[in-house]
Amino acid sequence: VPDHLPGPLGAPLAEPLFDCVTLIGIGLIGSSLAHVARRKGLARKIIAFDADAGVSARVRELAIADEVAGSLKSAVRDADLVILCVPVGAMGAIAQEIAPFLRAGAIISDVGSVKCSVLAAVAPHLPPDAGFASLFLHRWCILTPPEMTDPKAVAKLSAFWTGAGANVEVMQPAHHDLVLAITSHVPHLIAYNIVGTAAHLEEVTQSEVIKFSASGFRDFTRIAASDPTMWRDIFLNNKEAVIEMLGRFTEDLIALQRMIRHGDGQGLFDLFTRTRAIRRAIIEQGQDTAAPDFGRRREES
Amino acid sequence: VPDHLPGPLGAPLAEPLFDCVTLIGIGLIGSSLAHVARRKGLARKIIAFDADAGVSARVRELAIADEVAGSLKSAVRDADLVILCVPVGAMGAIAQEIAPFLRAGAIISDVGSVKCSVLAAVAPHLPPDAGFASLFLHRWCILTPPEMTDPKAVAKLSAFWTGAGANVEVMQPAHHDLVLAITSHVPHLIAYNIVGTAAHLEEVTQSEVIKFSASGFRDFTRIAASDPTMWRDIFLNNKEAVIEMLGRFTEDLIALQRMIRHGDGQGLFDLFTRTRAIRRAIIEQGQDTAAPDFGRRREES
């Protein structure tokens, strides 16, 4: 789809939402935001900043932003919207550094939770080359404004993400953390854990685990290859919700182990049947496909 | 690829391995075995049997076997190889029923473990229409002959599976059960479990879980939609190995929970880094691809 034609993203807005949007950290998400902001005319001007000089040079070459700033100060001083697209662990320091230079009324946001849901299987430090305008199309973007936030700022940011093609939902931060703990963080933790367990067996060699990695385990290794830095930061920053959900998971798992030990086939069958309903609902809502290809394509029919 | 041309499966054998192969239970695996046995000339005659009259009629229409038997007796009495392609739970009864009618020297085998690794995401009762000749191509087939088995029988069966395109490995049954417990059974159990946990939360509604199902959880629901009957039978039939591996998994998970509680970022980072190496090895051995498409395709670039 050439840039000037409306694709699935729709036509550009009649009027930009922001005068100047600054994106800090230009990986997959930052560059994708730059692409879609330009394609949809969400901002009059797009400024990019990345701490890595090589990345900055590449962003200049790709010309995906109107300006590549040389410092955080020059990046943010004219912005009415600043979006931090850096790992969760780096956000605090950057927020502190830019605070003195922000314009009055500027909106500051980050993509911490976007990372969790979009980026699970890939490193967060993909180069700006990786970005594409439809990355956020039909994805959920959860906004978690602190209590004192001006509702107008929330509305404008919501319009920005809607303009980028996302579905927007506003949530209390604590509730967001619980939702993400169960839908993303705990699943990642148990995927990391089973792969770790498999790597340290005495009876079964690591080469056997790799050789015979079946569906199930193989899918878990995909998740367990996610970026270690990003996930370390997520677990350290969502400690309470993760431990709460993990406690429930373990409790349920021990009940399941008991069923196996006592040969309770009916109990197993009932649970395995209930879980199918959730899968069906996810497919019905377009969050995944039902293609029974075992995750692989047929080589011939 | 038309049937008479050699595709990735290679040319037919010069001489069939068996005079008469009988397949009992004609779902995805049974019908795929029929396809590949004919395509590769693995048997002079292929007899199919299914307890379901509708399936039998369809197999006749599809003409994927030389004969569709009307009874177990007539199905097996001429066979020099019988392969049971029925759910694990039904195998014992069928083995007992056919025993009196078997020819001396006939080889009896089953696809219990093939089911685990190939069929994780789909129901085992797919119709015979679903079968395709390359289902087993480059897949691992683990043979677990009881101790007293004639080595010639093992060699012939091994040649049959190799002819079907599979990689064959011979293993002690108990070791096979441990390998499958860690690479397939426990991963399935924890996928079922996390989806069950998510379905029974009070703080997070089920509709939120479905709506925001992120990568991680979404992948688990795919696994947790596997056939309940098949998996109930697997857990009841591999109880000891599953409970043993589950114990190790839980032990490791509690250690991980402790790291999160105590903010041990280095410990988390180290584990998350080690698990990547396993993923890399699986990709290098061609068991999966590294495509960073988040399990979805791009809608535009």
Side-chain angles (χ1 to χ4, degrees), chain B residues 78-93:
Chain B
D78 295 326
D80 48 353
L81 172 61
V82 177
I83 304 182
L84 306 183
C85 311
V86 297
V88 174
M91 296 223 176

Side-chain angles (χ1 to χ4, degrees), chain A residues 139 175 197 208 211 252, chain B residues 169 175 197 208 252 296:
Chain A
R139 299 290 181 268
H175 189 70
T197 302
E208 282 177 317
K211 201 159 147 186
D252 291 344
Chain B
E169 181 123 341
H175 188 69
T197 301
E208 282 177 318
D252 291 345
R296 303 169 180 201

Side-chain angles (χ1 to χ4, degrees), chain B:
Chain B
V1 181
D3 258 21
H4 59 284
L5 288 179
L9 280 167
L13 303 194
E15 179 78 9
L17 293 161
F18 293 92
D19 281 324
C20 176
V21 170
T22 294
L23 304 168
I24 296 179
I26 313 299
L28 173 65
I29 290 186
S31 60
S32 294
L33 277 176
H35 279 292
V36 74
R38 176 172 291 169
R39 169 106 50 111
K40 291 291 309 277
L42 304 180
R44 287 200 171 78
K45 184 177 183 182
I46 302 160
I47 298 179
F49 175 83
D50 199 287
D52 183 308
V55 172
S56 294
R58 187 66 188 136
V59 174
R60 250 180 225 111
E61 277 169 33
L62 293 168
I64 52 180
D66 299 305
E67 189 185 318
V68 180
S71 70
L72 280 171
K73 181 181 176 180
S74 64
V76 303
R77 66 185 162 199
D78 295 326
D80 48 353
L81 172 61
V82 177
I83 304 182
L84 306 183
C85 311
V86 297
V88 174
M91 296 223 176
I94 292 179
Q96 212 167 6
E97 198 173 336
I98 61 174
F101 310 120
L102 293 170
R103 276 180 43 183
I107 299 173
I108 313 303
S109 189
D110 69 74
V111 294
S113 54
V114 174
K115 278 191 185 305
C116 310
S117 53
V118 177
L119 271 192
V122 295
H125 296 299
L126 285 180
D129 306 64
F132 53 103
S134 64
L135 180 63
F136 310 104
L137 192 62
H138 307 318
R139 299 292 180 268
W140 281 100
C141 172
I142 305 178
L143 301 181
T144 56
E147 265 192 37
M148 302 305 290
T149 309
D150 179 0
K152 279 188 216 129
V154 177
K156 273 193 86 172
L157 190 61
S158 173
F160 180 86
W161 281 104
T162 305
N167 306 321
V168 176
E169 181 123 341
V170 179
M171 232 180 239
Q172 301 271 5
H175 188 69
H176 162 273
D177 288 351
L178 276 177
V179 170
L180 268 290
I182 192 68
T183 59
S184 175
H185 305 172
V186 169
H188 273 79
L189 197 73
I190 63 185
Y192 277 121
N193 191 61
I194 182 90
V195 177
T197 301
H200 290 102
L201 298 171
E202 301 88 44
E203 302 92 333
V204 178
T205 66
Q206 195 156 318
S207 72
E208 282 177 318
V209 167
I210 290 162
K211 201 159 146 183
F212 303 116
S213 69
S215 168
F217 186 76
R218 204 177 48 223
D219 300 334
F220 283 21
T221 62
R222 178 188 284 268
I223 301 170
S226 303
D227 184 72
T229 306
M230 179 178 114
W231 282 97
R232 178 199 63 197
D233 291 347
I234 286 173
F235 291 119
L236 296 181
N237 283 280
N238 196 20
K239 189 188 285 196
E240 284 74 23
V242 167
I243 288 178
E244 161 69 20
M245 290 301 169
L246 209 47
R248 286 157 180 270
F249 171 83
T250 310
E251 204 176 294
D252 291 345
L253 189 63
I254 285 169
L256 209 45
Q257 179 169 335
R258 214 178 145 80
M259 285 184 200
I260 295 175
R261 195 186 295 279
H262 295 294
D264 178 4
Q266 191 60 46
L268 294 173
F269 183 85
D270 290 347
L271 170 67
F272 299 171
T273 305
R274 283 198 304 273
T275 54
R276 289 191 123 175
I278 301 247
R279 174 70 184 166
R280 219 172 293 128
I282 286 174
I283 291 168
E284 279 163 14
Q285 297 202 8
Q287 296 283 326
D288 207 347
T289 65
D293 64 353
F294 328 115
R296 303 169 180 201
R297 313 240 166 78
R298 292 185 182 189
E299 287 162 69
E300 60 172 329
S301 69

Side-chain angles (χ1 to χ4, degrees), chain A residues 86-94 229-230 232-234 237:
Chain A
V86 297
V88 173
M91 297 223 174
I94 292 179
T229 306
M230 179 178 113
R232 178 200 61 198
D233 292 347
I234 286 173
N237 283 280

